[in-house]
């Protein structure tokens, strides 16, 4: 098998759209056995799957792929051509994805996990240079894109803010973009104006990734959020089709929820509750897009009402930098997702997410720190997933995804088994 057993089985379950229980039944094995096959090779409980099971699973997956091929329009060619924006290998919006292409990207992200977990190294992007152009505040997006590029063997040049860039001298987006394209091989751009990253992208033929364009979109965040939801659901034995997702907070200016709602709507029969303070509701054009796909979408100003029975709570920060303090006074601040409300409204297997940063200051009413030791809080598993997903984005846009598997070498140093002191038992293991 060219990929690890874990990657192979996860991929099979995703392609067949089966929970662990149903998949175990489908291939005629005990759930417990399947669980041990799904562990990483280094873990104590890991067991090798018998050869005959692997052949059987391969056959089922191939049959399913054949059926799909005949029942739908056949997809072919490299993934980067199928998700291209105006014929260019750029990632500007989640609108570029179908359910098939997003799941193909996640198969590549799964292959990146041994690198992200510091077990393997790869140099497939050796010699390539990334330009990280961030004209708005950022910590995780900028660093994780940079780290993802470096972990594939490339190097990174950064510029942050307007003050230290030539834009402060009146340079146009076109000129900046064209100049940078002569220096680097790919760019990640964050800018405060909606649509500005698309403008950068029009001025160049090198890969451009939208790292957040004002209140517009944040496609890589939505991709890692969806990857996290699917990974968590796989551990919990749930399917995304039919799930209840509560999006909470500033849904008007929060670009992560704009991208996420559109991306999730590629799945089937979801229920969304959109919980926001008055005046910060999700824009209509995004709701309309998701509702044409037949999902149930309910809007409410009551946190309790919106969270009741949710499978996923996705909390967000009020984007204070996007409107004046006077406007803010009109908003009820009572939107804190904390342990009491999660316990009261949701079951033991809800997952609590947030794109971060959260405002942890007293009275901020953002996601509470009292869930920090609660395994339902998935925020750091979510940030960790930013690396393999962003590596997959680069590998696809640069056309090297098929080289990764054979490029892997063992790391020479030994990283800690748990990277955070509070990591729960399954963090990074399952
Ligand atoms: N980091 C996310 C973003 O850049 C969320 C936030 O800032 O609230 O959109």
């Amino acid at each position: 098998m060219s990929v690890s057993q874990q990657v192979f089985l996860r991929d099979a379950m995703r392609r067949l759209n089966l929970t662990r229980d149903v998949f175990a039944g489908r291939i005629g094995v005990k759930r417990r056995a399947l669980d041990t096959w799904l562990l990483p090779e280094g873990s104590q409980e890991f067991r090798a799957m018998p050869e005959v099971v692997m052949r059987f699973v391969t056959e089922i997956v191939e049959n399913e792929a054949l059926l799909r091929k005949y029942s739908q329009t056949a997809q072919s060619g490299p993934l980067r051509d199928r998700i291209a924006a105006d014929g260019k290998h750029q990632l500007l919006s989640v609108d570029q994805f179908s359910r098939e292409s997003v799941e193909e990207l996640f198969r590549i992200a799964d292959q990146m996990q041994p690198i992200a977990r510091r077990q393997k190294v790869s140099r497939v992007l050796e010699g390539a240079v990334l330009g990280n152009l961030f004209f708005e505040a950022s910590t995780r997006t900028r660093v994780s894109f940079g780290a993802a590029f470096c972990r594939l063997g490339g190097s990174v040049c950064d510029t942050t803010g307007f003050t230290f860039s030539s834009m402060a001298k009146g340079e146009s987006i076109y000129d900046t973009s064209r100049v940078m394209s002569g220096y680097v091989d790919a760019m990640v751009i964050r800018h405060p104006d909606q649509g500005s990253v698309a403008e950068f992208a029009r001025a160049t033929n090198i890969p451009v990734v939208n790292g957040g364009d004002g209140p517009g979109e944040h496609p890589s965040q939505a991709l890692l959020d969806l990857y996290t939801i699917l990974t968590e659901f796989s551990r919990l034995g749930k399917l995304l089709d039919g799930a209840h997702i509560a999006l909470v907070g500033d849904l008007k200016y929060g670009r992560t929820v704009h991208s996420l709602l559109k991306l999730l709507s590629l799945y089937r029969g979801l229920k969304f509750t959109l919980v926001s303070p008055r005046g910060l509701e999700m824009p209509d054009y995004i709701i309309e897009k998701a509702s044409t796909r037949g999902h149930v979408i309910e809007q409410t100003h009551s946190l309790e009402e919106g969270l009741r029975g949710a499978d996923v709570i996705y909390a967000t920060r009020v984007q204070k930098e996007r409107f004046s303090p006077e406007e803010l006074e009109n908003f009820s601040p009572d939107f804190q997702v904390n342990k009491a409300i999660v316990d009261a409204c949701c079951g033991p297997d809800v997952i609590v997410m947030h794109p971060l940063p959260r405002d942890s200051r007293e009275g901020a009413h953002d996601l509470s720190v009292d869930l920090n030791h609660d395994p339902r809080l998935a925020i750091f598993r979510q940030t960790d997933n930013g690396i393999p997903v962003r590596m997959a984005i680069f590998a696809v846009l640069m056309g090297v995804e098929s080289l990764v598997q054979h490029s892997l070498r063992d790391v020479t140093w030994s990283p800690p088994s748990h990277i955070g002191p509070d990591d729960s038992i399954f963090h990074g293991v399952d």
Side-chain angles (χ1 to χ4, degrees), residues 310-323:
D311 296 296
V312 176
I313 301 171
Y314 190 96
T316 62
R317 171 182 73 86
V318 175
Q319 308 279 300
K320 291 180 186 148
E321 65 274 35
R322 307 208 188 282
F323 47 93

Side-chain angles (χ1 to χ4, degrees), residues 70-382:
Y70 292 123
S71 63
Q72 294 171 0
T73 50
Q75 304 267 7
S76 62
L79 180 54
R80 66 176 180 168
D81 290 344
R82 278 180 276 130
I83 61 166
D86 285 334
K88 295 184 187 180
H89 299 139
Q90 301 179 329
L91 174 56
L92 306 178
S93 162
V94 292
D95 294 340
Q96 293 167 236
F97 284 93
S98 63
R99 178 166 172 167
E100 284 71 31
S101 57
V102 90
E103 291 186 353
E104 203 171 321
L105 181 82
F106 292 167
R107 285 197 279 284
I108 299 163
D110 283 346
Q111 287 180 24
M112 300 297 184
Q113 284 288 13
I115 310 176
R117 290 177 185 164
R118 288 87 137 169
Q119 293 151 350
K120 300 280 178 189
V121 289
S122 169
R123 309 287 303 165
V124 286
L125 285 184
E126 188 161 23
V129 179
L130 172 70
N132 244 345
L133 274 65
F134 279 69
F135 300 102
E136 226 188 23
S138 173
T139 305
R140 74 220 80 238
T141 307
R142 185 169 56 85
V143 176
S144 68
F145 266 121
F149 206 80
C150 291
R151 288 199 185 277
L152 288 173
S155 348
V156 184
C157 295
D158 265 315
T159 156
T160 43
F162 284 101
T163 328
F164 299 109
S165 87
S166 285
M167 286 200 160
K169 300 178 186 169
E171 187 171 60
S172 67
I173 285 184
Y174 183 93
D175 284 5
T176 305
S177 181
R178 172 59 190 86
V179 170
M180 289 299 297
S181 313
Y183 301 161
V184 299
D185 304 289
M187 287 190 276
V188 178
I189 299 161
R190 171 170 288 187
H191 192 280
D193 298 334
Q194 185 162 358
S196 54
V197 180
E199 204 180 325
F200 270 97
R202 279 193 292 276
T204 179
N205 289 331
I206 68 169
V208 168
V209 179
N210 181 358
D213 60 329
E217 277 218 38
H218 196 342
S220 67
Q221 176 72 46
L223 288 164
L224 77 90
D225 292 339
L226 174 57
Y227 181 79
T228 302
I229 294 172
L230 291 172
T231 313
E232 297 281 312
F233 275 23
S234 156
R235 177 175 59 78
L236 295 165
K238 287 180 169 184
L239 283 183
L240 181 50
D241 289 323
H244 174 183
I245 318 284
L247 303 179
V248 182
D250 182 351
L251 307 184
K252 180 175 179 183
Y253 296 107
R255 55 192 168 207
T256 66
V257 279
H258 298 171
S259 295
L260 185 58
L261 179 55
K262 290 199 280 178
L263 198 60
L264 283 170
S265 71
L266 295 175
Y267 284 74
R268 278 194 301 269
L270 296 186
K271 175 179 170 182
F272 293 101
T273 41
L274 308 181
V275 193
S276 68
R278 266 175 228 288
L280 291 183
E281 290 88 359
M282 179 71 76
D284 287 342
Y285 77 94
I286 296 177
I287 297 185
E288 272 153 31
K289 185 143 201 169
S291 48
T292 55
R293 292 180 172 146
H295 302 288
V296 175
I297 304 183
E298 290 170 2
Q299 298 198 68
T300 172
H301 301 299
S302 153
L303 190 57
E304 229 180 286
E305 206 179 287
L307 297 196
R308 200 159 297 130
D311 296 296
V312 176
I313 301 171
Y314 190 96
T316 62
R317 171 182 73 86
V318 175
Q319 308 279 300
K320 291 180 186 148
E321 65 274 35
R322 307 208 188 282
F323 47 93
S324 65
E326 298 81 64
E327 263 183 284
L328 197 60
E329 275 166 24
N330 301 328
F331 305 126
S332 142
D334 201 13
F335 275 83
Q336 191 185 49
V337 173
N338 55 30
K339 187 161 168 23
I341 193 144
V342 174
D343 284 343
C345 300
C346 306
D349 60 0
V350 63
I351 57 169
V352 181
M353 300 172 66
H354 192 298
L356 300 182
R358 59 177 157 169
D359 191 342
S360 304
R361 288 169 295 192
E362 189 97 357
H365 296 275
D366 204 336
L367 173 64
S368 170
V369 292
D370 71 357
L371 281 158
N372 276 10
H373 298 284
D374 192 315
R376 294 174 294 183
L377 188 76
I379 56 174
F380 298 119
R381 301 194 287 278
Q382 193 182 349

Side-chain angles (χ1 to χ4, degrees), residues 40 42-44 116-119 384 413-430:
S43 92
Q44 265 191 353
R117 290 177 185 164
R118 288 87 137 169
Q119 293 151 350
D384 286 353
W413 70 96
S414 41
S417 63
H418 288 62
I419 49 179
D422 295 329
D423 287 355
S424 47
I425 189 84
F426 50 81
H427 187 171
V429 171
D430 199 25

